[in-house]
Amino acid sequence: APFAEGSIFSIFISGLSNGQGIALGQGPLAGSLFIAGFPGRVGRITLAPVGLSVFASGPLFSFPEAVASAPDGSLYIVNLGFNPPRLVKTSPSGVPSNFAVGTGSQTNRAVIVDTAGNVYWSHPNGINKYDSNGNLLGTLPGPPDKPVYENPMGAAFDSTGNLYIV
């Protein structure tokens, strides 16, 4: 729900279940929120007027968890329903395709997109960086005090380009 300091939390929209990840749409999808976590689908919440609909569905979304929005309007959804997990790219019109294959459900959970459209997806030894076509550009190493990432759940960039992993 939208809130400001001193405000009271309130329900913005009902009808959601099992929500796991949320992203604010960019590009042609600006003005919408996208919710991953519905079994078999990704939900879209339009902000003006407020409404809830299915944005994308099908077999590639057996257990969608995290979602990230790219500047061109593409969405990247982590699907933990496969072994190994998959990263699904969804076009601005809601058409899904496989983007990358992961290694393990406890480490392939965090996904984020930078302002240039590069996609960052967690894995046991760090964060893989892909271009928007799915080409692996490199790997950012994990924390020096950990042998592997344990269970990264989310990621964000700040205004200067620093990457944060939860």
Side-chain angles (χ1 to χ4, degrees), residues 78-131:
V78 175
N79 185 354
L80 296 181
F82 292 98
N83 188 11
R86 294 183 187 169
L87 186 58
V88 176
K89 180 178 182 178
T90 304
S91 72
S93 61
V95 177
S97 61
N98 280 310
F99 184 78
V101 176
T103 54
S105 63
Q106 292 301 307
T107 55
N108 292 125
R109 297 177 92 156
V111 64
I112 191 70
V113 181
D114 67 18
T115 57
N118 296 307
V119 180
Y120 299 77
W121 191 26
S122 62
H123 68 89
N125 300 313
I127 306 292
N128 280 344
K129 179 181 179 181
Y130 301 90
D131 67 16

Side-chain angles (χ1 to χ4, degrees), residues 112 135 141 166:
I112 191 70
N135 299 307
V166 176

Side-chain angles (χ1 to χ4, degrees), residues 27-64:
L29 299 179
S32 293
L33 293 170
F34 294 88
I35 309 295
F38 297 97
R41 63 192 188 274
V42 174
R44 179 180 190 173
I45 299 172
T46 52
L47 301 177
V50 174
L52 173 64
S53 63
V54 173
F55 178 72
S57 63
L60 293 179
F61 300 110
S62 58
F63 192 81

